[in-house]
Every structure is written in C-alpha cells, then in structure tokens.
Amino acid sequence: MKRGVVVEKNDDFVTLLTPDGQFLKAKNTNELYELGEEISFLPHLSEREEAGTREDQAKRKLTDIFQLKKVRIGALSAFAIMFLFISFLPFLTQDKVYAYMSIDINPSFEIEIDDHLKVTELEPINEEAIKLVTQLTEWKQKPFKEVVNQIITESKREGYVYPGKEIVIATVMKKEDEQIESKLEEDLNQIRDSYKKDEMVVKTIEATDETRDKAKRQGISTGKYLELKKDEESESDEKTQPILDEKDEGQTDEVLVPKATSTNLIEKTPTTIDPDTKSDWENSAKEKLNDTKKQLQDAKGSIQKKSENKTIIKIEKLQEKDEVEQEKQQKKEIKNQRKQERQIKKREDQVEKKQKTIQKKLEKQQEQIEKKQDKYDRNRND
C-alpha cells in the first residue's frame, strides 16, 4: 500500500504523485476523489512484482512518512513567513512616510513624502484630479517641489489656474525632525515666491492626523476641509459679532442689534402708575420699538449688501478669467493668421521665381530663333 496526491483522474484510473516523486496509476475505486487529495492506493502494474521483503517495505514506508512530514513542515513554515510579511507590510510602508501633503487648486491631490522629501505616492481626490493625473508622468521618487510645480503647470494648461487664483498646500507631519522640517519649509517658501510674478497666491497650512482623518471621511482633501471649517467659523462669527455699516472709507459706526425682549423695549415701572407717567412710558416703549425695527432693517440691508458684494466679486473673477481666455484665443488667432500670411508670401515668392525662370527661358529661346533666322537669311542671299 502506498500514499500519494491525486493529480489526474478519469472513470477507470487515477494518477497519483508519491512523496518520492513518482507518478503512479491506481484503479478508481471511489469516484469522489478530489484533485490534491492524499490517499492510500495499490499501484496498478502490467506485471506484478514483489516489492521486496517486509523489512524493506517497512523501511520504505517510514521514509515516505518522514519525507511527507518534512514537506508539510516546510510548507507550513513558508506560509507562516509569508503571513508575517504580509501582516507587517503596511507598518513597514507606513514608517517610510514622513508627511502627507494636499494640493488644492480645483484639482485636489494628496502626495506622500519620505524623509528625503521625495514623493512615494500620488492620489487624485476629485474628478478634475482624476482627469489630470494621466498627464502627470515620472513623479515617483521625484522631489516634492518638482511634483507640485508639475501639478500647477498642468492645471494652468487646462485653465484651472489664472492670475489671482489661490493655491492651498496643507501638510501633515508623521515624524518630527528639525532638519527635515527646515528644508521642507524652505522648499515651500521657494514654491510660494516662484508664483508671485504670475500673481498667484500659494497658501501653506499645517494640519494634524486627526484633521486628515476627518477630511478622508468626508471624501475631501485636508486643505479643503480646513478652508470649509474656516468659512463656517467666520459665518458663525458674523452672526454673533456686531454688524458694521460702512459710511465713509476708513470710518465705520458700530450698530448693535438688540434682542427684541421686554427688558430693552420697556423699563420697569412702579406698581402704581399715574396717567401722565403711563403716557410717557408708552411713548418711550414705542420709540424703542421703532429704533429696534430700524436697526434690524439696517442690519438686514448690510447683510444683503455684503452678499451682493460677494456676488459681484465672483462675477468679476469670472469676467477676468473670460478676458484672459479671450486674450489667449486672440493671440492664438493672430499667430495663426501671421503663419498663414507667411505661407502665402512664401508661395507668392515661389510663383514669382518660377515666372522669372520661365521668362528667361522664353527670352533665350527667342534669341536662338532670331539667330537661326539671321543665319538662314544670309545663306539664302548667298
């Protein structure tokens, strides 16, 4: 009796791989055998021979068992090593990340930076970034400065960047290293200064892991999350702080909007009120009520005015963008027109040159004809 692993089967026979590397056939006595199953079997031979003495058979059987156990132990060891490697792989990768950096233009990206300030990962966050990422090449293990400049350049080419545009770069540090932080800050300052001449504003922010996790849960970048949070806080402050109405440039008057409660509309009166005092008290209450209404209307007008100003600013920015695009289009058209003019001039020169060549040939032929005619006339006279 031998043992082997089923590697092939049909209705009559099964082929088995023995521990010593032999392929043997056996009768298929059980149709439920599965490939890869280890079974005991009797070899099917055309000519049966004795397998040796019982002692030899016993030795062979012990050897087979020992080899099979070695194979199993080796397989289990390899599986255990592979499992440990896969389990610790995320931690090994995470240790290489020195910082996360989000770049928000309209396309939003997040890049991972190692302790050499080189990019290890580049992740597009929104649809615009997904469209743009195919145009970003050779970013792996490049200095983050080059990758950021590449992102801004491609965004500018696609029309996302224009004069006055704000670019937000948010950085989340995973490790602390004064020397690397100093180099990182120096590179960020170089990026910021390099785009001042193009009238673009590069804004840098430092954030925490907690902020990045919150942004991830909302499906936005860290910088975008901080900007939205800042807008919400400013709107909340506008509701709670005194409302200011603009009078002259550089001068503002504070207009307090009181709560419409009985404590500021009427004053406490004694329990016994004579008619004159009651009349004065009613007039005073009406005046205060009118003043409160006026202040509320002024506050409403001020809020509406601010909203209109914001709308006007947005429209102006869009108009600016359109003007820039139109100017680019006009320059392109002028360039194409000049190119066409140069081509036309070149063709005219070629035609003129050909005409001159043809004219010269005609003149030369005419001379030859005249010479032949003269010669003919002289011969005839002679």
Side-chain angles (χ1 to χ4, degrees), residues 11-163:
D11 294 337
D12 299 324
F13 296 98
V14 291
T15 304
L16 302 107
L17 174 64
T18 63
D20 56 355
Q22 293 182 351
F23 289 93
L24 300 177
K25 280 188 176 182
K27 286 187 177 180
N28 188 356
T29 58
N30 182 1
E31 294 182 358
L32 299 177
Y33 288 143
E34 294 183 1
L35 295 178
E37 181 182 358
E38 187 179 5
I39 62 172
S40 300
F41 69 98
L42 287 172
H44 177 77
L45 301 173
S46 57
E47 296 180 358
R48 293 284 181 113
E49 295 180 354
E50 292 295 329
T53 62
R54 292 181 181 178
E55 185 178 355
D56 291 338
Q57 291 177 356
K59 286 180 180 179
R60 194 178 296 111
K61 188 174 182 180
L62 288 172
T63 304
D64 292 344
I65 293 171
F66 178 71
Q67 288 179 348
L68 184 60
K69 284 185 177 179
K70 280 203 303 184
V71 170
R72 286 180 176 176
I73 291 170
L76 289 171
S77 300
F79 179 76
I81 292 169
M82 187 180 297
F83 177 77
L84 289 171
F85 178 75
I86 293 171
S87 300
F88 284 100
L89 184 60
F91 298 99
L92 294 172
T93 305
Q94 190 174 8
D95 289 339
K96 294 180 181 179
V97 178
Y98 173 74
Y100 295 100
M101 182 176 291
S102 67
I103 299 100
D104 288 288
I105 303 170
N106 178 14
S108 293
F109 293 88
E110 183 180 73
I111 59 177
E112 292 181 8
I113 304 171
D114 62 15
D115 52 7
H116 298 291
L117 300 183
K118 292 186 177 181
V119 176
T120 56
E121 287 296 334
L122 173 65
E123 179 187 358
I125 296 176
N126 56 8
E127 291 183 6
E128 290 81 2
I130 293 171
K131 293 176 183 177
L132 198 67
V133 75
T134 55
Q135 301 175 28
L136 303 174
T137 57
E138 298 182 359
W139 53 264
K140 196 82 170 177
Q141 289 300 319
K142 291 288 184 181
F144 87 93
K145 277 196 308 184
E146 295 182 12
V147 178
V148 171
N149 288 330
Q150 192 178 358
I151 290 172
I152 295 175
T153 301
E154 292 299 331
S155 299
K156 188 175 181 181
R157 188 173 296 152
E158 294 296 323
Y160 295 116
V161 178
Y162 46 85

Side-chain angles (χ1 to χ4, degrees), residues 57 112 145 153 191 195 201 213 216 221 246 251 262 294 305 321 331:
Q57 291 177 356
E112 292 181 8
K145 277 196 308 184
T153 301
I191 293 172
Y195 289 100
V201 180
D213 291 338
K216 283 280 187 184
S221 66
E246 295 182 3
Q251 295 182 351
S262 59
K294 186 176 182 304
K305 187 176 179 181
K321 185 178 179 181
K331 287 181 179 178

Side-chain angles (χ1 to χ4, degrees), residues 262-275:
S262 59
T263 55
N264 56 22
L265 292 177
I266 59 174
E267 295 177 353
K268 291 184 179 179
T269 58
T271 54
T272 59
I273 306 173
D274 58 45

Side-chain angles (χ1 to χ4, degrees), residues 151-204:
I151 290 172
I152 295 175
T153 301
E154 292 299 331
S155 299
K156 188 175 181 181
R157 188 173 296 152
E158 294 296 323
Y160 295 116
V161 178
Y162 46 85
K165 177 69 175 178
E166 184 177 76
I167 300 168
V168 180
I169 300 177
T171 308
V172 177
M173 301 289 188
K174 296 292 291 181
K175 301 176 185 178
E176 292 185 1
D177 189 309
E178 291 184 1
Q179 187 175 357
I180 301 176
E181 284 181 21
S182 176
K183 180 69 171 72
L184 178 65
E185 186 177 356
E186 181 183 344
D187 289 346
L188 287 172
N189 288 334
Q190 288 179 4
I191 293 172
R192 190 187 301 111
D193 294 339
S194 65
Y195 289 100
K196 281 183 179 177
K197 60 182 180 181
D198 297 327
E199 298 180 3
M200 288 186 285
V201 180
V202 179
K203 184 178 179 182
T204 57

Side-chain angles (χ1 to χ4, degrees), residues 328-342:
K328 285 182 180 178
Q329 188 65 26
Q330 287 176 356
K331 287 181 179 178
K332 190 175 180 180
E333 289 175 358
I334 291 170
K335 187 177 179 181
N336 291 334
Q337 187 177 357
R338 288 177 178 173
K339 185 177 179 181
Q340 289 176 356
E341 289 175 354
R342 286 196 298 271

Side-chain angles (χ1 to χ4, degrees), residues 286-334:
K286 287 179 181 179
E287 288 178 1
K288 288 185 178 181
L289 181 60
N290 291 331
D291 289 341
T292 302
K293 286 181 179 179
K294 186 176 182 304
Q295 290 175 1
L296 288 171
Q297 288 177 354
D298 292 342
K300 185 178 179 181
S302 176
I303 292 171
Q304 186 175 1
K305 187 176 179 181
K306 286 183 179 179
S307 177
E308 290 174 355
N309 288 337
K310 286 182 179 179
T311 305
I312 291 169
I313 290 170
K314 286 182 181 178
I315 292 170
E316 288 176 350
K317 284 185 177 179
L318 289 173
Q319 288 176 345
E320 269 182 34
K321 185 178 179 181
D322 290 340
E323 288 174 359
V324 170
E325 291 296 329
Q326 287 176 3
E327 187 177 351
K328 285 182 180 178
Q329 188 65 26
Q330 287 176 356
K331 287 181 179 178
K332 190 175 180 180
E333 289 175 358
I334 291 170

